[in-house]
Amino acid sequence: MATITQTEPALSMWAVANPTQKPLKIDGTDETYGDWRDDLVCDGYAIIKGAIPADKVESFADRMYSLIEGFELGYNRNDSSTVHPGKLPDIRSEPGIVNAFEKVYQDEDLIVSFDAINYGFANRTNLPKNSPWPHQDQDPEKPGFRCLQGLVNLHRAGPNDGGLIVCKGAHLLSEQFHKDMKDEKRIPAWTPEWYGYTGAGIKWPEEHGCEWYKVEAEAGDLIVWDSRAPHYNVPTTSDVDRLCVYTCYMPVKDATQEELVRKKDAFEKRLGTTHWPNARNIGWNEAKRNGKLDKIQRARP
């Protein structure tokens, strides 16, 4: 088995300037910070404004469009009629993104997930009706704050532009929720680190004072949320395409040697790790169209 050295974590300059600050627990005992971390603790999510400079946002969005145009299947970003099922980064090293996670963990020795990018094209008429699918990306049997998820908006996410719906404050009630719902039949999932909310489960947070809320943000903003927070997304109903990149980091010291080896193997095979940076779940690398391997299937860029 390969050996991966875990280095002693070093603190960045802002952490050195705030030596008394501790990693967030998000359990009701955190201190007041006077910044977006207070929103994260209270509501289960937060928006870091302008995490990526405007000029870089445009460049990243252009590269996302260029990526799918490069498949040469007929897609043209300037022609909405080419958005059809038959035609269809280094952003994770941006200082404004990485620093936000450093601030939460008070640790700059982080590893990042190999997660997805999201295209939500506007003006599509061939999509099935969207139904809410609220869920939490954390095993109910492993409570407490374990993972901070994130996404970077490359286009605005206004009230009609699609995007994240989160249940404000429900993350702090997660343990009580699962105790009350222990006899509720679970929605089947491919990993225990995913829990889907049933009809009764959707109502429970509302009955306990929580609110389902559409998160609005601008291009370049980073949205982060506690994995215990119930959430889902909705498609755009405006003329704005939804373009975003999922980002998630955790301290290297929180990953086992076995997990780091598995992550290295996933990197070499170009496999995704979902939002878990320690490769708790490994995805696959098979692009299919109508149930069959796509003709442009490839294992390398």
Side-chain angles (χ1 to χ4, degrees), residues 41-59:
V41 169
C42 178
D43 297 330
Y45 79 97
I47 301 172
I48 296 87
K49 303 296 294 182
I52 297 182
D55 59 333
K56 286 191 174 182
V57 171
E58 293 181 8
S59 174

Side-chain angles (χ1 to χ4, degrees), residues 57 61 65 152-158 217-220 240-244:
V57 171
Y65 281 126
V152 183
N153 275 326
L154 298 183
H155 281 170
R156 75 164 194 240
E218 298 299 323
V240 177
D241 293 335
R242 185 188 183 213
L243 299 183
C244 67

Side-chain angles (χ1 to χ4, degrees), residues 220-296:
D221 290 350
L222 167 66
I223 304 172
V224 294
W225 66 96
D226 186 323
S227 282
R228 295 171 296 174
H231 63 281
Y232 62 99
N233 64 60
V234 292
T236 178
T237 56
S238 72
D239 292 329
V240 177
D241 293 335
R242 185 188 183 213
L243 299 183
C244 67
V245 178
Y246 294 101
T247 61
C248 186
Y249 306 73
M250 69 185 298
V252 175
K253 61 182 174 58
D254 290 347
T256 66
Q257 187 75 18
E258 180 182 1
E259 289 170 339
L260 292 175
V261 171
R262 187 164 65 242
K263 183 178 178 68
K264 177 176 181 291
D265 184 62
F267 174 79
E268 292 174 345
K269 293 179 179 178
R270 304 299 195 270
L271 300 177
T273 62
T274 69
H275 69 283
W276 287 95
N278 59 344
R280 179 172 294 277
N281 299 307
I282 300 294
W284 50 89
N285 192 20
E286 292 185 347
K288 293 186 177 182
R289 190 184 303 275
N290 298 322
K292 299 180 180 180
L293 286 178
D294 195 284
K295 63 180 181 180
I296 61 171

Side-chain angles (χ1 to χ4, degrees), residues 141-155:
E141 299 297 322
K142 298 177 180 178
F145 173 53
R146 294 174 52 223
C147 186
L148 183 66
Q149 296 175 249
L151 68 82
V152 183
N153 275 326
L154 298 183
H155 281 170

